[in-house]
Amino acid sequence: MRLTRAAIACLTLSVAISGLLASGVAHADEDFGNGTGGEKEAQGGSDKTGIFAAAKVQYSGAVTKDGSSGNVTSADVNWDPPPCWYAPYLGAKDFKKKMSANIKDQLDTPGLGSGGTALGQLQRHYEDNYGWTDTPGYKDYNVEKDGEGMFWAGVENPNEQDALARMSCSDIPFWVDNGEPPPPQHEEAITPEMLAALAYQHMELPGTKVTLAPEANTKVNLPTWAWLDKAVFDDVKATAAINVPGFNLEATTTATPKSLTLDPGTKDATTIPANGECPIVDGKIGEPYAKGKSKETPTCGIIYRRSSGGETFPLKASLTWEISWTGTGQAGAVGMPDGTIEAVQDITVEEIQSINR
């Protein structure tokens, strides 16, 4: 059920129900793991009165420590994590307590104006079984069913830059029985796939530093060998979960190294292979240089055709990771868009000095 535009405007301008309703969106806090694989205790539970705490998305594994977006860029420019979603928020008694107290405070505020009408409609919806066109109201905030379900509310993705998209989950809080799916009209209700996308968004992959030979300084028309340390090829996992009484969902996103792409930083260079993409072969990318290989062609590398003129060329190395997820109710791994991380190394290219006799 959605409020009318006028009602939403009134609520936006004049109502702050302890962070519950702002532009029609409730704000459930997020918690983050420590970014090193540790897990935090799930936020949610009940006290002796049967009142449930608000659900929080829990992040663990290879995720950022502060909740910011990670260092992975999706190879699909049209792919985005969810800007908002609906998730369990409060039990019936706790919801009634919060709503009743704050609606009274707002209605008692002088100069509220037409906001009082919207608040009155909202109050009747939860208290008096007030009849709406698409959804019947509740009877006394469903307190007789406390412990048997939760009110769900919209959650904004704090990493979403588009404010309108972030606030688009504007349905007012709705009830969901434990073990039952949310009503189908709430299409943005949280799912394991959405949790996987959030884990992807917060994933922090190890940096990509390509080993070069010669290192940092090379010569015109001589091959520069490039390879990655084998330690880079371990799978990396990030998990996002919501766990509250009667509702548990989680998804784990796994990143597996796939290929390395080299950009020499100048058009006057030849990459090896010609497209600059070095695949994983026998569990490694490229081949380490060894003494006696100076006349061989590397499986992964660059040949610079002119000097850097006393300056440097910015060699960009992009490591592509294959991304997939598994989660609640999902039998096998599901593919997601590949992800990439980039690193830039400054390369000095010098002319080969010759001696004229």
Side-chain angles (χ1 to χ4, degrees), residues 6-78:
I8 291 175
C10 292
L11 289 171
T12 303
L13 293 172
S14 60
V15 183
I17 307 180
S18 295
L20 175 62
L21 289 174
S23 299
V25 181
H27 302 271
D29 294 333
E30 292 186 287
D31 252 351
F32 297 88
N34 59 17
T36 58
E39 294 187 11
K40 283 194 160 188
E41 182 180 355
Q43 300 296 311
S46 61
D47 59 20
K48 62 183 179 180
T49 67
I51 296 173
F52 295 105
K56 297 182 180 182
V57 176
Q58 299 291 308
Y59 295 91
S60 60
V63 294
T64 55
K65 297 179 181 180
D66 60 359
S68 59
S69 294
N71 63 350
V72 189
T73 301
S74 172
D76 183 352
V77 296
N78 296 315

Side-chain angles (χ1 to χ4, degrees), residues 89-144:
Y89 182 60
L90 293 173
K93 291 181 180 179
D94 205 16
F95 185 71
K96 176 182 178 180
K97 184 193 303 183
K98 182 179 288 291
M99 289 287 291
S100 299
N102 287 282
I103 286 177
K104 182 179 184 303
D105 288 344
Q106 293 298 323
L107 291 176
D108 288 344
T109 301
L112 184 60
S114 61
T117 301
L119 287 168
Q121 291 179 347
L122 189 66
Q123 187 176 33
R124 288 193 296 274
H125 178 67
Y126 292 113
E127 288 186 359
D128 302 329
N129 199 26
Y130 181 75
W132 291 74
T133 58
D134 54 352
T135 305
Y138 299 93
K139 183 178 180 180
D140 194 25
Y141 295 90
N142 267 7
V143 293
E144 290 186 356

Side-chain angles (χ1 to χ4, degrees), residues 166-198:
R166 191 172 64 242
M167 298 169 63
S168 62
C169 295
S170 57
D171 293 5
I172 65 173
F174 53 91
W175 180 263
V176 179
D177 288 325
N178 291 341
E180 295 296 325
Q185 65 265 33
H186 305 290
E187 297 179 354
E188 298 90 352
I190 195 71
T191 63
E193 185 174 9
M194 293 168 70
L195 287 174
L198 292 171

Side-chain angles (χ1 to χ4, degrees), residues 334-350:
V334 180
M336 303 179 77
D338 288 346
T340 61
I341 59 172
E342 297 179 349
V344 177
Q345 298 168 238
D346 292 329
I347 303 297
T348 299
V349 183
E350 301 172 339

